[in-house]
Amino acid sequence: MNIRQFLAATLMVMTHTVNGQVVINIDANQRGPMVSPTHYGIFYEDINHAADGGLYAELIRNRSFEDDTTPCNWYSVGDAAIALVQDGLLNDVQHNALNVTIVNNGDGVRNEGYWGINAAKGREYKLSFWAKSDNKYKGVLAARLQSTAGHTLGETDVKVSLSKEWKKYTASIIATGDDPKAEFTLLADKPGEFQLDVVSLFPPTFKNRENGMRPDLAGMLADMNPTFMRFPGGCFVEGQESPDNAFRWKRTIGPIEQREGHKNVNWGYRTSDGIGFHEYLQLAEDLGAKPLFVVNVGIWHGGCTPYNQIGEWIEECLDALEYANGDVTTKYGRMRADNGHPEPFNLEYIEIGNENYNFNMDDNSDQSDHYPERYIQFYNAIKEKYPNVKCIGNVESWATDHPSWRNDYPVDIVDEHYYRNPKWFADRFNKYDDYDRDKHLIYVGEYAVTSNFGNIGNLNAALGEAVYMMGMENNSDVVVMNSYAPIFVNENDARWRPDMIRFNSSQVMGTPSYYVQQLFANNIGTQVVKTGWTYDLTKPHSAEEETQHPVHVGLATWDTDVTYRDPQLIVEGKTVDISDYRTWNKVSGDWNISATGITQSSGKQPAMIVCPDNIEADKYTFKVQAKKNSGAEGFMAMFGYKDRDNYQWFNIGGWTNTQNNVEQAIGGGRVTLCKGHRFSVEDDRWYDLRVEVDGDSINCYLDGKLDLSCKSMNDNPNEGVYASTTMDDATKTMIVKIVNLGDGHADGVINLSNCTIDTTKNDALQLIRLSSESGNDENTISAPNRISPVKADIKAGNSNEVLFHVPAYSINIVRIPLQ
């Protein structure tokens, strides 16, 4: 019986008549697959300053002076002069040191950390730095935490007696006040000249690890109770421009002064590699999670090692396994022991490549050069030496909803990635019901709502993801692992949205998606139980009562210089004159009117201008001519425009001038309405655009030919109630998850068969809820708990019945103790 049949065969006799409109029927004897012990994990990647300036607790930015050709993030104090030097360096992996010339007493240097150093009263900060002086500088260096107003928030004096040989100094600073934007200063008491390198300042760390993690961020991970941790990425594994920018684990272990760091080109900043291979393994252990290491197969963004010359990459993988798992008598096992961990880390999972098995095996235009041939070389080498290590293979990571393993090589698990909109995820509740159980297992290694998620991640996104996760739970015999991506974003440098944990120097918050991950991982049983349900929701108002808001047409560009001319609007057969661009409303961008039309020349993403004429009718046509002058993409004809967060557009030459599509923005997030196709806009050529709207039907024409046809979405396309159940046989607890996607609400009842509620454990009967008044609601740094789990009212109607309420936009987790 497949899972769809399994879920459908749930008709039961109701034991009691209630007024509830959500009715859930569960037979405790009707079981499904066992729940995988590695079902919910985490995927860590150094993106958005997730490591330096994030999870990695180091507070000094550019501590080794390697981030640029200038001493960026370091500033002189008083009349001091600072400059990078390249002679007489600390060791072979350090390429710069900072030369400091002190002119007056009290001169020195300062560092403001990663958008501020969080000074907390009473907290101890451990300082270390290396110094030398060709002039044998002797004196006292005052190490301080200093407020933004210039007040000292803790200091310590370090007596130095410097020579031409580098010497390490250590000290502690106890903070005497609070300031999330504090700075670190190192001030000298007499004139002279000296050099500094690897200046480091650490607060207390998670589990008091040396070179450890920021406790509040690591604590957020621990609260998720992850069963595994995939690291170190992502695109971070591959690197860009050069293999030197890939993650090379041997360069990331040992004392921090022996770590060279590398350019994190994919995400736009340099990384110190302070979180190295050893720290990843240690963190996984501290979280109680199995480590999952992603290895490079000799491919980086923009290049690759020939597939028949990848021995070095295979050896690097095997050496990593020896470091993690080898006995202390082995070379790398001994190195692990020397780094403070004699016992093996027990690395059980290796993912062979990251998103390297897409479509172009011959030209590597999508980082896929000869992936099958690369994969099998790694697989054979790993299995020969470590037969119990599970090998995870790549499948297509974009442009298909049905990725596949397209070769005959053996594979333990394949890694599927999905970045979609809330409706896509909710519609895939049954996605894995019909997967072939005789083939490979599935790891959904990256998934998240990345369109129509609001600003930083709204409740609608979390609701869609929750339904998808319930479907994965129901199919735990085939989907054995899954992890949301990405985790972290420093709000001062957001390169990707959304991310489930947002932070700055002193604050941290979780999005609704974070709390879904936390709730599901902490409320999962050992076996799936048959669940059937019906629902009839009370809506807050009918569709007929909704106020119809007028819409508009407009023009838009994305990092492109475009000229438009001859706009025309036809509403229910009547032409409306919209040719006077002077009356149009400039939303964003640089729009300039000329005799030939209107030109947008800025690099805004997007630039928009809107026609002020209201469109009240359901049927209208918008025409315009467009010409690309220069830039990265093509042009867009907007329609259905309500405001800058809610509109539709016909996008010609989008995605770096590679395809056409129709998109709809809802609450600030864009949803793709139809499957696009390849297309590139030519410079200095006029194109005729026409969009015909009739209700929710959209037809888009390019140069007189139908180009795309689709349907628009409602402002909240998600509707419906979903339920699933697992049983924890060890604790005799039934766990029921109920998700309500829409704005209706109802009373709810759970009817149980072949089991009895243990009424002596009243405190164990619980309802944990995540909800808000609107699916568009979000948490923020200033209001981090607006949407967070709370306990709600629930009661046992009798020994086989549970009564509760199902609010709109809600995730409800019911824990039922059984006799």
Side-chain angles (χ1 to χ4, degrees):
M1 171 184 301
N2 68 31
I3 195 70
R4 184 170 291 159
Q5 295 169 324
F6 166 79
L7 291 172
T10 59
L11 193 57
M12 302 179 189
V13 176
M14 293 187 56
T15 60
H16 186 65
T17 301
V18 296
N19 295 323
Q21 295 171 295
V22 174
V23 180
I24 300 170
N25 300 312
I26 304 169
D27 184 344
N29 286 348
Q30 300 298 310
R31 301 296 185 96
M34 301 301 294
V35 175
S36 168
T38 54
H39 198 59
Y40 290 114
I42 54 175
F43 163 49
Y44 177 87
E45 177 162 19
D46 188 358
I47 178 175
N48 308 310
H49 277 279
D52 295 346
L55 181 61
Y56 185 44
E58 173 66 77
L59 295 172
I60 301 298
R61 189 169 185 178
N62 190 21
R63 68 183 178 193
S64 297
F65 310 104
E66 304 294 338
D67 285 5
D68 205 342
T69 56
T70 63
C72 59
N73 303 114
W74 287 91
Y75 307 93
S76 60
V77 176
D79 293 326
I82 60 174
L84 296 183
V85 292
Q86 292 79 36
D87 297 327
L89 296 173
L90 179 61
N91 54 44
D92 291 340
V93 302
Q94 299 298 329
H95 305 289
N96 297 299
L98 185 70
N99 190 81
V100 183
T101 303
I102 304 296
V103 178
N104 305 306
N105 296 354
D107 288 354
V109 295
R110 65 182 178 90
N111 186 290
E112 58 192 19
Y114 294 90
W115 302 280
I117 293 173
N118 183 33
K121 186 176 181 179
R123 182 175 293 172
E124 180 180 8
Y125 297 82
K126 294 181 179 180
L127 170 67
S128 66
F129 61 89
W130 291 78
K132 75 163 193 169
S133 172
D134 292 342
N135 299 319
K136 298 183 178 182
Y137 181 90
K138 290 184 180 181
V140 176
L141 300 181
R144 294 178 182 172
L145 288 174
Q146 185 170 291
S147 74
T148 50
H151 303 302
T152 298
L153 298 176
E155 69 176 316
T156 188
D157 289 339
V158 183
K159 294 181 180 180
V160 298
S161 180
L162 305 180
S163 68
K164 293 183 179 181
E165 301 298 322
W166 287 96
K167 182 177 179 180
K168 184 178 182 180
Y169 291 87
T170 61
S172 293
I173 303 173
I174 305 296
T176 58
D178 299 317
D179 189 345
K181 296 287 188 180
E183 298 178 344
F184 169 77
T185 62
L186 195 63
L187 309 178
D189 70 339
K190 61 180 62 177
E193 188 175 14
F194 54 86
Q195 291 81 47
L196 296 172
D197 206 353
V198 196
V199 183
S200 174
L201 187 69
F202 267 85
T205 62
F206 184 64
K207 293 189 179 294
N208 297 313
R209 298 292 182 191
E210 290 293 326
N211 198 48
M213 307 302 148
R214 180 171 152 177
D216 55 350
L217 297 185
M220 293 279 281
L221 299 181
D223 289 345
M224 294 171 65
N225 192 27
T227 60
F228 68 90
M229 187 179 92
R230 175 184 169 207
F231 67 89
C235 296
F236 185 78
V237 172
E238 299 160 291
Q240 191 165 312
E241 297 177 353
S242 157
D244 284 337
N245 295 329
F247 180 80
R248 312 304 294 265
W249 75 266
K250 294 179 185 179
R251 304 176 187 177
T252 72
I253 59 174
I256 59 174
E257 65 270 14
Q258 294 178 11
R259 304 187 191 191
E260 184 175 14
H262 71 280
K263 291 170 63 178
N264 183 359
V265 183
N266 303 80
W267 304 120
Y269 51 88
R270 184 177 175 84
T271 176
S272 69
D273 284 328
I275 301 183
F277 187 58
H278 186 95
E279 285 78 19
Y280 284 120
L281 293 167
Q282 184 67 74
L283 177 60
E285 182 177 270
D286 288 343
L287 295 173
K290 296 178 182 292
L292 189 168
F293 181 43
V294 186
V295 299
N296 192 305
V297 293
I299 292 177
W300 55 94
H301 288 238
C304 63
T305 302
Y307 73 94
N308 54 1
Q309 300 176 29
I310 59 173
E312 174 191 355
W313 297 96
I314 296 171
E315 180 181 4
E316 189 168 319
C317 170
L318 295 177
D319 290 346
L321 277 165
E322 184 174 287
Y323 184 94
N325 297 350
D327 186 86
V328 293
T329 59
T330 64
K331 175 182 177 180
Y332 292 105
R334 178 73 261 166
M335 187 180 295
R336 180 194 67 241
D338 291 343
N339 289 330
H341 202 285
E343 304 81 9
F345 281 111
N346 298 316
L347 178 56
E348 296 182 31
Y349 297 90
I350 290 287
E351 180 157 359
I352 302 173
N354 171 71
E355 296 187 344
N356 294 139
Y357 194 15
N358 294 299
F359 308 101
N360 301 314
M361 298 300 108
D362 296 324
D363 61 14
N364 201 41
S365 59
D366 56 2
Q367 292 80 56
S368 303
D369 176 84
H370 290 87
Y371 177 77
E373 292 86 351
R374 294 171 185 269
Y375 164 84
I376 194 58
Q377 294 179 68
F378 275 82
Y379 179 90
N380 289 337
I382 293 168
K383 290 294 186 178
E384 180 180 359
K385 195 169 183 180
Y386 300 96
N388 295 325
V389 169
K390 295 179 176 64
C391 292
I392 301 172
N394 298 172
V395 290
E396 301 98 325
S397 52
W398 63 79
T400 178
D401 289 346
H402 306 284
S404 58
W405 184 248
R406 307 180 307 280
N407 62 72
D408 295 327
Y409 297 133
V411 63
D412 297 316
I413 307 170
V414 300
D415 179 9
E416 298 182 353
H417 295 180
Y418 299 109
Y419 294 109
R420 305 289 195 273
N421 61 65
K423 181 173 173 55
W424 185 94
F425 282 107
D427 288 348
R428 267 66 183 181
F429 178 75
N430 299 114
K431 174 177 173 60
Y432 297 101
D433 292 2
D434 296 324
Y435 265 51
D436 189 341
R437 265 59 181 171
D438 294 327
K439 290 187 177 179
H440 43 261
L441 302 173
I442 304 296
Y443 166 37
V444 184
E446 299 180 32
Y447 67 94
V449 167
T450 52
S451 60
N452 195 19
F453 59 85
N455 184 30
I456 60 174
N458 61 23
L459 180 57
N460 279 331
L463 292 166
E465 291 158 359
V467 173
Y468 181 71
M469 292 162 68
M470 292 161 67
M472 290 193 288
E473 277 189 14
N474 286 337
N475 290 276
S476 280
D477 55 331
V478 65
V479 183
V480 295
M481 311 172 79
N482 70 84
S483 51
Y484 179 100
I487 297 176
F488 289 119
V489 56
N490 187 312
E491 66 174 357
N492 295 285
D493 192 22
R495 309 278 174 142
W496 175 289
R497 291 185 304 155
D499 314 88
M500 65 176 171
I501 298 175
R502 192 174 183 88
F503 62 90
N504 55 32
S505 69
S506 61
Q507 298 169 293
V508 60
M509 56 146 282
T511 65
S513 292
Y514 167 79
Y515 288 113
V516 168
Q517 294 291 323
Q518 183 197 89
L519 285 172
F520 274 48
N522 285 284
N523 292 278
I524 187 169
T526 54
Q527 190 173 14
V528 175
V529 182
K530 179 183 297 186
T531 307
W533 70 94
T534 61
Y535 64 91
D536 181 16
L537 303 177
T538 301
K539 304 288 283 186
H541 50 74
S542 67
E544 291 75 20
E545 293 173 336
E546 291 183 358
T547 302
Q548 295 295 320
H549 296 285
V551 297
H552 306 267
V553 296
L555 306 170
T557 67
W558 191 283
D559 196 16
T560 308
D561 186 321
V562 174
T563 300
Y564 294 94
R565 69 184 184 188
D566 298 334
Q568 299 178 51
L569 177 62
I570 304 167
V571 181
E572 292 190 329
K574 296 182 180 179
T575 299
V576 180
D577 184 6
I578 60 170
S579 60
D580 188 357
Y581 287 118
R582 293 173 299 175
T583 66
W584 287 41
N585 301 317
K586 298 177 181 179
V587 179
S588 59
D590 296 329
W591 297 89
N592 298 294
I593 302 170
S594 67
T596 58
I598 187 169
T599 298
Q600 199 294 125
S601 57
S602 77
K604 292 289 290 185
Q605 298 179 346
M608 299 184 190
I609 190 168
V610 178
C611 175
D613 291 74
N614 293 336
I615 303 173
E616 307 279 356
D618 290 334
K619 187 175 183 178
Y620 61 94
T621 298
F622 177 41
K623 301 178 181 179
V624 71
Q625 292 185 328
K627 180 184 70 169
K628 174 183 175 180
N629 303 314
S630 63
E633 303 208 352
F635 29 77
M636 287 92 89
M638 288 200 301
F639 55 98
Y641 182 95
K642 297 177 183 178
D643 55 52
R644 64 188 306 160
D645 291 328
N646 298 276
Y647 55 86
Q648 297 149 347
W649 63 28
F650 177 26
N651 189 347
I652 303 95
W655 294 268
T656 62
N657 202 18
T658 61
Q659 62 173 287
N660 295 354
N661 219 318
V662 181
E663 295 179 287
Q664 179 169 346
I666 304 174
R670 283 186 297 279
V671 180
T672 299
L673 297 182
C674 56
K675 185 176 181 180
H677 62 85
R678 307 291 290 182
F679 186 82
S680 296
V681 173
E682 299 175 16
D683 289 2
D684 299 319
R685 174 188 162 186
W686 287 102
Y687 291 85
D688 289 317
L689 316 182
R690 183 167 94 248
V691 178
E692 296 180 352
V693 178
D694 188 353
D696 63 354
S697 296
I698 302 167
N699 290 312
C700 298
Y701 296 81
L702 183 62
D703 289 338
K705 296 181 180 179
L706 181 64
D707 193 63
L708 294 166
S709 183
C710 56
K711 298 279 189 180
S712 63
M713 285 186 175
N714 297 325
D715 285 351
N716 177 25
N718 293 349
E719 294 288 344
V721 173
Y722 294 81
S724 66
T725 305
T726 58
M727 176 71 81
D728 187 338
D729 287 307
T731 62
K732 293 186 178 180
T733 303
M734 181 175 285
I735 304 166
V736 187
K737 298 181 176 73
I738 307 102
V739 174
N740 182 8
L741 295 171
D743 58 0
H745 63 93
D747 291 329
V749 58
I750 298 173
N751 296 307
L752 303 177
S753 294
N754 294 312
C755 63
T756 303
I757 300 171
D758 188 345
T759 56
T760 67
K761 298 180 179 178
N762 292 331
D763 291 341
L765 177 61
Q766 295 182 348
L767 170 57
I768 308 168
R769 176 175 294 150
L770 191 72
S771 66
S772 193
E773 294 181 357
S774 169
N776 292 322
D777 288 345
E778 301 182 78
N779 292 334
T780 63
I781 284 286
S782 59
N785 298 314
R786 181 182 186 185
I787 306 168
S788 58
V790 296
K791 290 186 177 180
D793 293 336
I794 189 170
K795 65 180 180 179
N798 55 45
S799 62
N800 300 98
E801 178 186 82
V802 177
L803 304 175
F804 57 103
H805 187 67
V806 182
Y809 307 111
S810 67
I811 298 165
N812 307 272
I813 297 180
V814 179
R815 297 182 64 91
I816 307 171
L818 301 178
Q819 292 182 3

